[in-house]
Amino acid sequence: MAFLDWRSPEHFDHRGDKPCVVCTKPTPLRSDTGKPVHKVCAEEWIEAHPPKEEQR
């Protein structure tokens, strides 16, 4: 599964890596809200925690 499109520069922090909020390993990637998170970690978390309107 690969559904997040993080090709835009706002998802990459050139100032340095920070611990991923999911796995705690360093990453330069940032979520839409600016939190450090790997794309794969974010996708797995979203899949495990679908928005309430999708839970049926």
Side-chain angles (χ1 to χ4, degrees), residues 10-26:
E10 63 261 10
H11 289 290
F12 190 84
D13 190 345
H14 292 280
R15 295 174 292 175
D17 293 354
K18 291 189 177 176
C20 173
V21 296
V22 178
C23 75
T24 70
K25 293 180 183 174

Side-chain angles (χ1 to χ4, degrees), residues 4 20-24 37-46:
L4 294 176
C20 173
V21 296
V22 178
C23 75
T24 70
V37 65
H38 295 104
K39 181 178 180 292
V40 171
C41 290
E43 290 171 342
E44 288 175 356
W45 190 90
I46 290 169

Side-chain angles (χ1 to χ4, degrees), residues 25-37:
K25 293 180 183 174
T27 181
L29 295 175
R30 301 295 184 261
S31 69
D32 288 341
T33 60
K35 295 185 186 220
V37 65

